[in-house]
Amino acid sequence: MLDDIRIVLVNTSHTGNIGSAARAMKTMGLSSLYLVDPVSAPDGKSSALAAGAGDVLASAITVNTMQEAISGCGLVVGTSARSRTLSWPMLTARECGDKLVQEGKQHPVALVFGREASGLTNEELQLCNFHVCIDANPEYSSLNLAAAVQTLCYEIRMNYLDMKAAQYTEREAPEYPFTDDIERFYEHLQSALSKTGFIRENHPGIIMTRLRRLYNRARPDAREINILRGMLASIDKMADKTTKEE
């Protein structure tokens, strides 16, 4: 799914920023880089700043217009400052990551970054479904291009990992025992501990209360309760054998 999230850099003027953006992408698991009319093509400086992300840089697609870069995308989000003449639906960085990940499951999506000095033009911003603004320090909100790419790619990755964790939890949700099964476990536990002399059979006292609290806090699932019952059965067997030998 991350392969369908495009990072689009428009009219980048410094080749080093292209390499740094590629590195920022790769650290967050993204690989689809589009370059719209860069002032200069990626060069040795780009490669040096890409570090281990040379593959992302090498596979970057260069096009002439933003329309070409976002062609086939079902969602386009453009980076923007808030102060624009024409108001547009705004996302926070976190909301942007969530929306790109959710829609990236269905179709290609694009996150567009503008020029280092002037950002995206109003015409380019109007090609976007949403705008995203990074809520930086209002007294000093200047972020260089690579830092902005890193910040938003991080939000994409965090939302992606949350989605994977939710899928895993849903798939691997444990089966918990019914209350009747839990009560039978506690009865078995008290019986086994009485046989070993750990507690008095007729006076379990506070020990059983504390053990109940311990197991309730741990909340063992059905398989774990079966394991515990098997352990208690083994204790029963040994205790009965010892009694017979005596």
Side-chain angles (χ1 to χ4, degrees), residues 24-43:
M25 288 171 60
K26 186 164 184 177
T27 59
M28 296 300 138
L30 299 170
S31 59
S32 183
L33 176 60
Y34 280 69
L35 306 176
V36 177
D37 188 28
V39 173
S40 299
D43 55 16

Side-chain angles (χ1 to χ4, degrees), residues 19-20 23 45-55 57:
S20 295
R23 181 176 183 177
K45 189 172 184 180
S46 305
S47 299
L49 290 176
D55 54 337
L57 187 63

Side-chain angles (χ1 to χ4, degrees), residues 66-181:
M66 180 173 158
Q67 288 92 330
E68 293 175 81
I70 63 176
S71 176
C73 290
L75 172 71
V76 180
V77 180
T79 54
S80 170
R82 291 188 181 278
S83 55
R84 293 282 175 171
T85 304
L86 181 63
S87 177
W88 213 260
M90 293 293 302
L91 300 173
T92 65
R94 194 138 300 172
E95 290 169 339
C96 174
D98 177 62
K99 191 166 286 291
L100 289 170
V101 167
Q102 292 303 321
E103 293 206 26
K105 294 184 290 186
Q106 306 164 28
H107 43 236
V109 297
L111 176 59
V112 186
F113 295 84
R115 301 155 188 82
E116 291 95 331
S118 58
L120 297 170
T121 66
N122 285 332
E123 291 75 18
E124 290 164 342
L125 284 168
Q126 288 177 28
L127 296 174
C128 305
N129 303 103
F130 295 91
H131 298 168
V132 57
C133 179
I134 297 172
D135 290 322
N137 177 6
E139 296 179 4
Y140 186 73
S141 59
S142 177
L143 280 174
N144 66 35
L145 177 60
V149 172
Q150 185 75 80
T151 299
L152 291 177
C153 286
Y154 171 82
E155 294 296 343
I156 290 170
R157 182 159 188 81
M158 291 303 98
N159 276 277
Y160 171 73
L161 294 177
D162 285 346
M163 181 192 73
K164 297 294 286 184
Q167 291 174 346
Y168 176 82
T169 300
E170 182 179 343
R171 184 172 63 251
E172 300 292 333
E175 178 185 347
Y176 290 105
F178 295 115
T179 55
D180 292 347
D181 296 324

Side-chain angles (χ1 to χ4, degrees), residues 145-243:
L145 177 60
V149 172
Q150 185 75 80
T151 299
L152 291 177
C153 286
Y154 171 82
E155 294 296 343
I156 290 170
R157 182 159 188 81
M158 291 303 98
N159 276 277
Y160 171 73
L161 294 177
D162 285 346
M163 181 192 73
K164 297 294 286 184
Q167 291 174 346
Y168 176 82
T169 300
E170 182 179 343
R171 184 172 63 251
E172 300 292 333
E175 178 185 347
Y176 290 105
F178 295 115
T179 55
D180 292 347
D181 296 324
I182 288 289
E183 285 305 312
R184 281 191 285 270
F185 163 69
Y186 286 135
E187 291 170 4
H188 194 173
L189 179 62
Q190 181 173 334
S191 172
L193 294 180
S194 297
K195 288 181 180 180
T196 63
F198 185 76
I199 61 174
R200 296 182 182 179
E201 184 174 359
N202 296 324
H203 301 284
I206 198 171
I207 295 296
M208 281 305 301
T209 300
R210 288 186 176 276
L211 286 173
R212 276 178 173 268
R213 188 170 65 180
L214 185 155
Y215 284 111
N216 284 342
R217 186 169 63 245
R219 202 188 179 195
D221 60 31
R223 289 184 178 181
E224 290 166 339
I225 285 292
N226 287 336
I227 291 172
L228 291 169
R229 291 293 299 272
M231 291 169 57
L232 295 175
S234 177
I235 292 172
D236 286 336
K237 184 176 180 181
M238 292 300 296
D240 291 342
K241 181 180 179 181
T242 301
T243 301

